[in-house]
Amino acid sequence: MSKAKSLPIWVLANRIVAANTREEKQAIAALCEPRYLQLLRNSVKVLLAKKRAEKPPKTVPDCFVQVKNKLKHRSE
C-alpha cells in the first residue's frame, strides 16, 4: 500500500451512503486504510440508520380508510 493519506472516515462514509451501486461503494471503501475498515463499516451503519429514521411514515390514501371503515361497520 502506498504511503498516501486516505480521506477522513466520515467523508468516506458519507460517500458510501450516497453511492448507488455496489461497485461504487467497494471502490470508495478501497480508499480506506485496512486498519480503519471496521470503523468505516460502523460509521456507514450509523449513517444508514439515521437516513432510515428520517423517512416519515407513508400516509394511507383516503380510499383505503373508507373501505376499511365500511368493512368494520359491516362486521359490527
Side-chain angles (χ1 to χ4, degrees):
M1 184 163 160
S2 68
K3 302 261 181 186
K5 298 245 181 185
S6 67
L7 291 171
I9 298 295
W10 61 272
V11 173
L12 293 174
N14 283 325
R15 287 185 182 182
I16 289 173
V17 170
N20 293 325
T21 64
R22 184 175 181 179
E23 289 79 20
E24 284 180 67
K25 293 176 183 183
Q26 289 174 343
I28 294 167
L31 298 174
C32 183
E33 293 182 35
R35 61 183 175 182
Y36 296 125
L37 281 177
Q38 189 60 46
L39 183 60
L40 179 63
R41 285 187 197 105
N42 293 341
S43 299
V44 170
K45 286 179 186 177
V46 168
L47 288 174
L48 286 174
K50 285 181 183 177
K51 187 176 180 181
R52 288 185 188 119
E54 289 175 1
K55 289 185 180 178
K58 292 183 180 178
T59 57
V60 179
D62 291 334
C63 61
F64 290 131
V65 174
Q66 291 172 354
V67 170
K68 183 177 178 183
N69 288 337
K70 284 180 185 178
L71 292 173
K72 188 175 179 182
H73 290 300
R74 279 187 189 169
S75 65
E76 290 177 353

